[in-house]
Amino acid sequence: MPNTPEQLTIKKVLSIDIGGSSVKTCMLSAEGEVLSEYTKLPTPEDATPEAVLEVIKRLAATMGEFDVVSVGFPGYVKFGVVETAPNLAKKQWSGIKFSQQISDTFQKPVRLVNDADQQGLGVVEGKGFEIVITLGTGFGTALLYDGQLLPHLELAHFPITKDKDYDDYIGDKAFNKIGKKDWNERVKRVIDIYKTVFNYDTLYVGGGNAKQIDFELEKNIRLVNNRVGITGGAKLWALSEQYQIRTTYPKK
């Protein structure tokens, strides 16, 4: 087994996106070309590490051979270790070396990052300061400059009202509780805040609820498809190991 990224020969990447409602996967070339069908299974109701890993195994079994694995995870990840997973099983994920578990399962090198970061790599143009936000079970954010990931910030957990963070404010539970009209007003407010605070060059809006947006977006705001985002799994392997990114190899 190779010991360094420089020794890896990457022809096929198994790209995985773990969400609060489903786990998705596809096979990619090293250049990001989609080589297989886009496949998904429901996220287990009791989404413990063991249960999610079992779903990943079932999905991977339909994909054929691959050289490395990329995983987008719905929480804060540092050096392949999960720190938070607010939309998965409660009190089950903190400190879990999930990258190592996946690597040992498939006997392949693994890179595990926040899911919005992986999607960001797949959708941005690589020009200036670009932000990707995801509107799904929760609220995700990725920051990139000239196509390079900046350190991940769990902005979803900043307070936006006295008793709500961004996850509470525009996550899926809020959409179902307050309805489409009021939810769109909240999304407008969040975009205005991001515009004022970050002065981004381009804002990309993805996630399952992005299709519910019914107001006109400014010229530098673009809706993106989740299926495009998963191609970031290939670009993840083109990055040097920095910030939270680190390659995990199977234990010998």
Side-chain angles (χ1 to χ4, degrees), residues 35-54:
L35 302 176
S36 72
E37 293 293 324
Y38 179 89
T39 306
K40 66 179 181 178
L41 288 171
T43 301
E45 186 173 342
D46 184 21
T48 63
E50 296 78 12
V52 173
L53 184 58
E54 187 59 36

Side-chain angles (χ1 to χ4, degrees), residues 2 44-45 63 75 80 98 102 123 132 145 172 175 231:
E45 186 173 342
M63 291 286 114
F98 201 49
I102 297 169
V123 302
V132 179
Y145 191 80
D172 201 46
F175 179 87
T231 64

Side-chain angles (χ1 to χ4, degrees), residues 127-200:
K127 298 178 181 178
F129 185 29
E130 298 173 290
I131 296 180
V132 179
I133 63 174
T134 57
L135 305 173
T137 305
F139 176 72
T141 304
L143 310 176
L144 300 95
Y145 191 80
D146 286 347
Q148 297 296 310
L149 278 177
L150 299 178
H152 183 75
L153 303 175
E154 280 289 85
L155 297 173
H157 304 301
F158 271 105
I160 188 170
T161 68
K162 289 183 178 180
D163 60 350
K164 290 182 176 61
D165 61 17
Y166 283 78
D167 258 5
D168 300 324
Y169 193 66
I170 54 172
D172 201 46
K173 289 182 180 179
F175 179 87
N176 292 327
K177 181 178 180 179
I178 66 175
K180 183 176 180 178
K181 181 180 178 181
D182 288 343
W183 180 84
N184 269 275
E185 290 301 316
R186 289 186 176 186
V187 173
K188 284 183 184 179
R189 183 186 176 202
V190 168
I191 290 176
D192 284 343
I193 291 171
Y194 268 50
K195 179 180 177 180
T196 300
V197 171
F198 294 108
N199 289 298
Y200 51 77

Side-chain angles (χ1 to χ4, degrees), residues 8-252:
L8 286 173
T9 299
I10 301 175
K11 294 183 179 179
K12 292 185 178 180
V13 180
L14 179 68
S15 188
I16 299 165
D17 178 22
I18 301 170
S21 60
S22 64
V23 181
K24 301 165 279 291
T25 188
C26 71
M27 191 76 76
L28 305 171
S29 71
E31 295 73 33
E33 178 187 359
V34 179
L35 302 176
S36 72
E37 293 293 324
Y38 179 89
T39 306
K40 66 179 181 178
L41 288 171
T43 301
E45 186 173 342
D46 184 21
T48 63
E50 296 78 12
V52 173
L53 184 58
E54 187 59 36
V55 172
I56 291 173
K57 288 164 63 177
R58 289 171 58 194
L59 288 168
T62 69
M63 291 286 114
E65 294 295 321
F66 50 90
D67 303 301
V68 295
V69 184
S70 294
V71 186
F73 185 85
Y76 184 72
V77 177
K78 189 172 185 178
F79 301 135
V81 179
V82 175
E83 301 292 339
T84 64
N87 295 306
L88 300 180
K90 303 298 182 184
K91 299 181 180 180
Q92 298 292 315
W93 285 92
S94 181
I96 295 296
K97 298 178 180 178
F98 201 49
S99 183
Q100 189 66 64
Q101 291 184 11
I102 297 169
S103 183
D104 291 343
T105 296
F106 297 116
Q107 291 295 295
K108 300 291 183 182
V110 173
R111 284 187 171 184
L112 177 77
V113 296
N114 175 266
D115 54 349
D117 284 349
Q118 178 167 279
Q119 181 167 29
L121 289 169
V123 302
V124 301
E125 291 187 357
K127 298 178 181 178
F129 185 29
E130 298 173 290
I131 296 180
V132 179
I133 63 174
T134 57
L135 305 173
T137 305
F139 176 72
T141 304
L143 310 176
L144 300 95
Y145 191 80
D146 286 347
Q148 297 296 310
L149 278 177
L150 299 178
H152 183 75
L153 303 175
E154 280 289 85
L155 297 173
H157 304 301
F158 271 105
I160 188 170
T161 68
K162 289 183 178 180
D163 60 350
K164 290 182 176 61
D165 61 17
Y166 283 78
D167 258 5
D168 300 324
Y169 193 66
I170 54 172
D172 201 46
K173 289 182 180 179
F175 179 87
N176 292 327
K177 181 178 180 179
I178 66 175
K180 183 176 180 178
K181 181 180 178 181
D182 288 343
W183 180 84
N184 269 275
E185 290 301 316
R186 289 186 176 186
V187 173
K188 284 183 184 179
R189 183 186 176 202
V190 168
I191 290 176
D192 284 343
I193 291 171
Y194 268 50
K195 179 180 177 180
T196 300
V197 171
F198 294 108
N199 289 298
Y200 51 77
D201 292 303
T202 309
L203 176 70
Y204 302 84
V205 184
N209 282 336
K211 62 181 178 290
Q212 303 294 345
I213 291 178
D214 61 7
F215 55 91
E216 186 175 355
L217 299 172
E218 295 183 4
K219 291 181 179 180
N220 64 337
I221 302 176
R222 302 173 189 173
L223 294 179
V224 294
N225 189 298
N226 281 354
R227 296 195 180 194
V228 177
I230 203 170
T231 64
K235 291 186 179 179
L236 187 59
W237 284 94
L239 296 178
S240 61
E241 293 189 291
Q242 58 180 336
Y243 302 124
Q244 305 98 304
I245 300 170
R246 181 177 291 174
T247 305
T248 302
Y249 294 95
K251 292 180 179 178
K252 294 183 179 180

